[in-house]
Amino acid sequence: MTPSLIVLGAPGSGKGTQAIKVASEYGLMHLSTGDMLRLEIENKSEIGLVVQEIMAKGNLVSDELVLDLLKKRFEKKDKSYLLDGFPRNLKQANMLSEQLSELGCEYRVLYFNVDLALIKDRIVNRRTCKSCGEIYNLISKPLSSEGACLKCGSRDILQRKDDSEAVVENRLAVFQEMNNPIVDYYMSKGLLISINAQQDEVSVFEDLKKVINSLK
Ligand code: AMP
């Protein structure tokens, strides 16, 4: 059985795109806390109203709130998960480790290594198809010449509000502040596997498959 996987990496490191592919390839349950929170905002739920402004600024929402959302998605039966966007700090890492051991899940951490100096361009050019969730980059992975999704043909293409130039700087600063302690935490437990996420999408996926196959 494939162990549960945690993907760690800067915004724009490509972890979201690869997480979707990996989850589908290995039958893992993909849990993206960012997607869950965006859905709460879209549904105008109580949680959505609380987090909307925090997310728009690129800051982190409260640990308890995210963990509560996440807990609802963990099932008791035998399952492997792919966690994307969680943990964001050491408190969350500890909470997650407890939760996964309660569920009896073995796990590894895939760290998407990228040069942060190049990442801002990747983020501001990111677009997502609202219909099927495919993620594009206006420069490296463009839409059709009519601006439609190449996978499902939809023209309902969105730019995330927090992918704007004004917010990206803060998101990267938040990432830089929080990231090193988490990387050290998982490295000291011998769970961290570094992935060269500087490569193109296909090569990163090939590397991921090699690594994950060696874990089974
Ligand atoms: P992401 O889609 O992972 O880039 O997350 C988008 C935004 O959702 C972040 O900038 C945070 O505001 C919020 N968020 C997502 N995951 C977490 C988390 N684990 N802890 C706190 N805030 C989070």
Side-chain angles (χ1 to χ4, degrees), residues 165-189:
E165 200 145 359
V167 181
V168 164
E169 302 263 357
N170 186 42
R171 286 174 64 209
L172 287 174
V174 169
F175 168 77
Q176 275 180 296
E177 187 191 332
M178 305 291 188
N179 187 55
N180 285 349
I182 307 183
V183 167
D184 291 346
Y185 171 88
Y186 287 124
M187 203 155 14
S188 70
K189 286 176 172 270

Side-chain angles (χ1 to χ4, degrees), residues 33-34 37-38 55 59-61 85-86 88 92 160 171:
T33 47
L37 292 163
R38 280 184 286 277
M55 286 175 69
N59 292 323
L60 295 183
V61 311
F86 195 100
R88 288 290 230 278
Q92 293 187 5
R160 273 172 50 174
R171 286 174 64 209

Side-chain angles (χ1 to χ4, degrees), residues 8-23:
L8 280 188
S13 60
K15 65 182 163 48
T17 305
Q18 299 290 345
I20 294 169
K21 292 167 87 165
V22 167

Side-chain angles (χ1 to χ4, degrees), residues 95-113:
M95 285 166 150
L96 184 59
S97 141
E98 254 175 53
Q99 188 71 31
L100 290 173
S101 76
E102 264 175 44
L103 290 163
C105 287
E106 239 200 274
Y107 68 97
R108 295 287 190 289
V109 182
L110 303 170
Y111 178 50
F112 282 55
N113 236 321

Side-chain angles (χ1 to χ4, degrees), residues 23-151:
S24 143
E25 177 85 14
Y26 294 95
L28 307 176
M29 186 183 274
H30 179 207
L31 299 178
S32 156
T33 47
D35 284 351
M36 288 178 206
L37 292 163
R38 280 184 286 277
L39 191 64
E40 296 290 332
I41 293 176
E42 206 176 316
N43 292 339
K44 298 190 168 38
S45 72
E46 222 170 287
I47 293 178
L49 294 175
V50 172
V51 300
Q52 192 160 18
E53 214 175 302
I54 303 170
M55 286 175 69
K57 289 184 185 147
N59 292 323
L60 295 183
V61 311
S62 94
D63 298 329
E64 284 70 24
L65 190 152
V66 188
L67 191 78
D68 278 352
L69 270 186
L70 200 56
K71 273 185 175 164
K72 288 186 196 140
R73 303 289 297 277
F74 283 127
E75 294 174 6
K76 294 288 167 218
K77 59 181 188 256
D78 241 6
K79 195 126 214 123
S80 290
Y81 298 91
L82 196 162
L83 286 139
D84 172 4
F86 195 100
R88 288 290 230 278
N89 56 37
L90 275 186
K91 187 173 168 199
Q92 293 187 5
N94 280 307
M95 285 166 150
L96 184 59
S97 141
E98 254 175 53
Q99 188 71 31
L100 290 173
S101 76
E102 264 175 44
L103 290 163
C105 287
E106 239 200 274
Y107 68 97
R108 295 287 190 289
V109 182
L110 303 170
Y111 178 50
F112 282 55
N113 236 321
V114 279
D115 180 353
L116 286 186
L118 303 176
I119 222 157
K120 208 168 130 189
D121 274 352
R122 272 204 195 184
I123 302 177
V124 296
N125 286 304
R126 176 159 62 185
R127 298 292 183 275
T128 308
C129 171
K130 185 155 197 303
S131 301
C132 72
E134 186 73 358
I135 300 170
Y136 290 89
N137 180 290
L138 295 181
I139 294 160
S140 61
K141 187 182 169 188
L143 297 150
S144 79
S145 52
E146 289 85 31
C149 174
L150 296 173
K151 206 168 157 195

